[in-house]
Amino acid sequence: MSDFRQGASADPLGPRAGGRPQPIEMPEWLRPLGHVGGVSARGRLVFLAGQLGWDERSRIVGPDLVSQARQALRNVVSLLERAGAAPQHITHMTWYLTRPDEYERHLPAIAIAYSELIGREFPPMTTVAVNSLMCADACIAIDATAVVGDDA
């Protein structure tokens, strides 16, 4: 059985969970940077399609990855709010990047945008380098899954 780093329990979603996803980590593994290894959650599921860095008129906000990442994160937060959820309900994110080298170079600026929009929530994340996205000017798409707790 896995050990839950924030208080081992047979039921990681016991009374102290408060409807929030609970981290799953292996104490003998190195902690991943910028996210947790997994989460466990109960409640209503919210699935978001890959959000591009475009505005309400479907226009890409700028040519650079940082501005597109900021807008894609805004779009994630807006859709979560529309679904009655918030960043703390995110249980997984996937980032699709057409310019992984630019991502590495600008990670501090992307991290600032992330913290301003998502906060100190670090759900499991997967980052994937892709050749292109369906919108030719897009260099990032972010999809997310969230679980709104039964008591939320």
Side-chain angles (χ1 to χ4, degrees), residues 67-99:
S67 64
Q68 288 190 35
R70 178 179 292 280
Q71 184 63 45
L73 289 167
R74 272 192 198 110
N75 295 343
V76 166
V77 171
S78 294
L79 284 169
L80 287 172
E81 289 173 354
R82 180 75 173 161
Q88 68 264 25
H89 298 115
I90 297 172
T91 56
H92 188 266
M93 298 177 89
T94 304
W95 293 43
Y96 301 91
L97 305 164
T98 63
R99 304 179 201 155

Side-chain angles (χ1 to χ4, degrees), residues 53-75:
W54 58 15
D55 64 16
E56 63 281 350
R57 295 186 183 271
S58 299
R59 295 178 300 213
I60 295 294
V61 296
D64 63 293
L65 179 61
V66 175
S67 64
Q68 288 190 35
R70 178 179 292 280
Q71 184 63 45
L73 289 167
R74 272 192 198 110
N75 295 343

Side-chain angles (χ1 to χ4, degrees), residues 62-149:
D64 63 293
L65 179 61
V66 175
S67 64
Q68 288 190 35
R70 178 179 292 280
Q71 184 63 45
L73 289 167
R74 272 192 198 110
N75 295 343
V76 166
V77 171
S78 294
L79 284 169
L80 287 172
E81 289 173 354
R82 180 75 173 161
Q88 68 264 25
H89 298 115
I90 297 172
T91 56
H92 188 266
M93 298 177 89
T94 304
W95 293 43
Y96 301 91
L97 305 164
T98 63
R99 304 179 201 155
D101 55 330
E102 190 176 337
Y103 175 80
E104 289 180 20
R105 272 195 322 272
H106 298 290
L107 191 54
I110 293 169
I112 289 169
Y114 183 94
S115 68
E116 289 173 355
L117 294 159
I118 303 297
R120 302 232 5 106
E121 307 299 328
F122 302 103
M125 294 183 186
T126 303
T127 306
V128 181
V130 296
N131 289 327
S132 63
L133 295 165
M134 295 304 290
C135 175
D137 295 331
C139 58
I140 187 169
I142 302 173
D143 72 32
T145 303
V147 177
V148 180

Side-chain angles (χ1 to χ4, degrees), residues 1-24 39-43 150:
M1 178 183 254
S2 296
D3 180 17
F4 291 82
R5 195 173 274 180
Q6 295 190 356
S9 168
D11 181 4
L13 297 175
R16 71 180 179 275
R20 290 183 64 143
Q22 296 299 297
I24 303 169
V39 297
S40 180
R42 283 192 193 127
D150 297 327

